[in-house]
Amino acid sequence: TVNPRQFAWTHMIIATVLLQSSCFVANVLDGLIWFVFPVGIVFFNDIAAYLCGFFFGRTPLIQISPKKTWEGFVGGFAITLAVSPFAAAWLQRYTWLVCPAPTPLRLVGGAADCAADTLFVMTEVPVLSVMEGLESVLGVLRWVVPHGWVAQAARTWFGLQAVRASWFQVHAVVFASFASLIAPFGGFFASGFKRAFKIKDFSDTIPGHGGITDRMDCQMVMAVFSHLYITNFIRKPGLMTLGQLLLKVELVTNEEILELYQAIGNTILARGLKPP
C-alpha cells in the first residue's frame, strides 16, 4: 500500500522542483540576463543581509530562524536596492547576455549579435513611472507611504523629473525589491521545514553552509516571480522568441512537422525570399 503522507510529500517536492526549473528555463530563452540577474541579486542580498546582521544585528527577526535580525533584513534591502541599477547597467553591456537564445537547445548565451532591445538602451525615464511600477508590483509600498508620495518628494526636494537609465535598470530595482523583501520568506519556509524534522541543514555538500537546497531556498520564490513579471510586465503577450518557437515545434507530430514545412516554404515564396 502507498503511504498517503509520503505520496503527498513526493508530489509536493516534484512540483516545487519542476515549477522553478521550468520558470528558469523560460527566462533563459528570453535572454541569459533574465536568469543571471534574478539569481545573482538573491545571492547578493543574502550576503549583504548576513554582513549587516553580523556587524549590526541586535533584534531577532523571526523565531524559526533565530540568526536572522531586523538590522540584517533592512540593511540587506537598502544595499541591494542601491547596487541593483549599477549591476544591471554592467550586465546589459554584454550582447551574449541580452540576446535571446537562437535555439531551444542552446540555453547558455544568446546569439552573437542581435537587434538591440529598447529595454537595454539608455533613455530618459520619468521618476513617476519608476515609482508606479514599484507600487504596482510591490503593493506593500501602499501600506507604508501614500500613492505617488515618493515621486512627488523626488521632484520637490531634488528637482528630479526623470533619470537617465535603461528600462532594464528600472526592472532591476523591482527585482531587487522583491529579492530583499519577499524572496527571503522562501528561506524562512525552508528553516521551518528543517526545524520540523529537527535537522540543521538539508545536506553537508558545502562545508558550513549545508547543501545545494540550503543555498537555493529563496530561488524557488524568485524563479516564479521573475517569470511572471517578465511575462506580464516586460514581454508582450503572444510574442515568442525564436528559441521558444522552436521549443514548441519539437513537441508536434511528424505529420504536423511536414505541414509546417510546407507552410513555411509557401511563406518564403510569397515574400520573395531566397531559400538558404
Side-chain angles (χ1 to χ4, degrees), residues 2 5 8 21 24 31 44 56 145 175-176 182 185 196 212 270:
V2 178
R5 181 175 297 180
S21 300
F24 275 142
F44 181 85
F56 310 108
V145 295
F175 282 130
I182 310 299
F185 284 89
I212 300 300

Side-chain angles (χ1 to χ4, degrees), residues 173-196:
V173 173
V174 177
F175 282 130
S177 301
F178 187 90
S180 304
L181 298 176
I182 310 299
F185 284 89
F188 301 153
F189 171 78
S191 296
F193 190 87
K194 288 182 286 187
R195 187 171 289 269

